[in-house]
């Protein structure tokens, strides 16, 4: 007899690196949920002692499906970063995914993150679950429009935001990354697989070497990819982003309002205000690559 889906059943949170999975687990519990945590081995970097959980390899689909079936999981949220894609030999398929293995391996080896995430969503849905977005569990984490702290962008900063927006949208269209840094109206860095903090470290090194003018500060822009599925991998900033931006000598950070997540907002704003940099939510224009 075919298994029925549990689309209104228990919530599972697939947890990778970073604080987002823990924030989601706490937000879900505050709303009366009893979230089950799927902690990805060698990726997750926080403990979930207060929650029922399982630790599995990122490619162990069989163990994940068994847990979902036993616990009547109906909704699944994917959260946190994954630094390493599984090798084909790491994948432990379910009966339903064995026939899909050739396409799964090809996708892992030769496609961008957005395509891989779409594949993962389809595999989870094949288990009878509904994949939902982090913002559906914790809508308060979504960035608001306008300055979040006491500092606002200047005219020069707005020009950098516009140039950074153009670059971030172009980068996202290629399914490469979500962020770009513009200094003095010139794009000096674009995010790749290394992530935002590593990109900002690169900017700091370029500034220290004199490749970027010390007189011009610049802006980090983080946006959803034009083809972004809101159920996975939304742009995320927090206190560590502010710390990295300060080390890079930037004037501020701009993120997409309503489509980016802000973690530990009060601590982040306090750090930004203390450093004299702005954090603001923007609405990018897909037609002009600028701001509405």
């Amino acid at each position: 007899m075919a298994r029925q889906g549990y689309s209104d059943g228990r919530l599972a949170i697939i947890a990778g690196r970073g604080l987002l999975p823990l924030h989601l687990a706490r937000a879900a519990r505050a709303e009366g949920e009893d979230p089950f945590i799927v902690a990805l081995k060698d990726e997750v970097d926080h403990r979930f002692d207060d929650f029922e959980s399982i630790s599995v390899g990122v490619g162990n689909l069989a163990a994940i499906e068994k847990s979902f079936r036993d616990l009547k999981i109906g909704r699944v949220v994917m959260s946190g970063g994954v630094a390493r894609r599984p090798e084909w030999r790491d994948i432990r398929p379910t009966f339903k995914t064995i026939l899909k293995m050739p396409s799964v391996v090809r996708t892992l080896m030769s496609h961008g993150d957005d395509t891989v995430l779409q594949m993962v969503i389809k595999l989870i849905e094949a288990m009878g679950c509904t994949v939902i977005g982090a913002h559906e569990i914790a809508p308060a984490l979504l960035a608001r429009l306008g300055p979040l702290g006491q500092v606002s962008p200047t005219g020069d900063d707005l020009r950098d935001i516009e140039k950074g927006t153009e670059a971030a949208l172009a980068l996202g269209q290629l399914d490469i990354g979500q962020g770009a840094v513009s200094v003095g109206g010139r794009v000096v860095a674009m995010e790749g697989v290394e992530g935002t903090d590593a990109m900002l470290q690169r900017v700091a090194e370029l500034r220290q070497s004199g490749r970027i003018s010390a007189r011009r500060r610049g802006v980090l822009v983080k946006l959803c990819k034009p083809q972004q599925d809101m159920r996975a991998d939304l742009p995320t900033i927090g206190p560590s982003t502010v710390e990295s931006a300060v080390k890079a000598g930037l004037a501020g950070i701009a993120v997409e309002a309503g489509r980016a997540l802000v973690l530990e907002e009060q601590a982040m704003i306090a750090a930004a205000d203390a450093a004299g940099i702005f954090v603001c939510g923007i609405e990018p224009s897909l037609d002009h690559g600028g701001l509405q």
Side-chain angles (χ1 to χ4, degrees):
M1 178 176 178
R3 176 195 169 216
Q4 297 297 312
Y6 297 99
S7 61
D8 59 348
R10 189 175 177 184
L11 173 70
I13 298 174
I14 299 179
R17 292 178 293 113
L19 282 168
L20 179 58
L22 190 58
H23 280 281
L24 293 181
R26 290 171 175 168
R29 176 167 285 174
E31 293 298 319
E33 300 262 16
D34 179 23
F36 173 69
I37 311 300
V38 179
L40 299 179
K41 286 182 180 177
D42 302 320
E43 297 290 352
V44 66
D45 50 10
H46 288 82
R47 298 176 65 89
F48 294 89
D49 294 340
D50 295 336
F51 300 90
E52 185 178 4
S53 66
I54 183 175
S55 177
V56 299
V58 68
N60 195 345
L61 301 175
I64 293 173
E65 183 177 32
K66 182 179 186 304
S67 295
F68 287 178
R69 182 175 61 249
D70 292 347
L71 297 173
K72 292 184 170 54
I73 298 297
R75 293 160 299 138
V76 178
V77 177
M78 300 189 298
S79 63
V82 175
R84 185 184 71 85
R85 295 186 183 186
E87 300 288 344
W88 66 268
R89 62 180 64 87
D90 297 328
I91 301 174
R92 299 182 182 179
T94 66
F95 178 76
K96 295 177 183 177
T97 58
I98 287 176
L99 295 179
K100 299 179 181 179
M101 281 298 293
S103 63
V104 169
V105 172
R106 284 196 301 270
T107 299
L108 286 172
M109 293 179 63
S110 60
H111 289 77
D113 289 345
D114 189 68
T115 303
V116 171
L117 288 170
Q118 287 297 316
M119 176 199 71
V120 173
I121 288 173
K122 290 177 181 178
L123 291 174
I124 293 173
E125 288 176 337
M127 299 177 188
C129 300
T130 299
V131 178
I132 61 177
H135 62 290
E136 298 178 68
I137 300 299
L141 294 180
L142 288 172
R144 306 186 307 276
L145 184 63
L148 303 187
Q150 298 176 359
V151 183
S152 296
T154 66
D156 286 343
D157 298 331
L158 291 175
R159 285 188 286 275
D160 273 327
I161 290 174
E162 184 166 3
K163 183 60 68 173
T165 296
E166 293 175 2
L169 289 174
L171 186 71
Q173 188 69 57
L174 295 172
D175 193 12
I176 296 173
Q178 299 172 321
V181 175
S182 174
V183 177
R186 177 170 68 102
V187 176
V188 300
M190 300 176 77
E191 182 185 46
V193 295
E194 80 277 23
T196 302
D197 287 343
M199 176 184 65
L200 292 177
Q201 174 61 34
R202 187 154 38 92
V203 174
E205 292 168 357
L206 289 170
R207 198 180 291 278
Q208 290 168 5
S209 69
R211 296 291 301 276
I212 297 176
S213 170
R215 294 181 294 104
R216 298 182 182 274
R217 299 186 67 186
V219 174
L220 164 67
V221 178
K222 290 199 69 170
L223 307 175
C224 280
K225 299 172 183 176
Q227 71 279 13
Q228 184 94 32
D229 189 319
M230 287 286 286
R231 294 175 294 177
D233 195 32
L234 294 183
T236 303
I237 63 171
S240 68
T241 317
V242 169
E243 180 182 354
S244 296
V246 171
K247 290 179 179 177
L250 301 183
I253 300 167
V255 295
E256 189 167 357
R259 281 160 57 87
L261 302 175
V262 179
L263 304 185
E264 300 181 273
E265 182 174 326
Q266 291 185 347
M268 185 199 69
I269 292 173
D273 288 345
I277 73 171
F278 68 84
V279 180
C280 66
I282 62 172
E283 291 181 336
S285 167
L286 295 180
D287 293 331
H288 302 98
L291 307 180
Q292 294 180 331

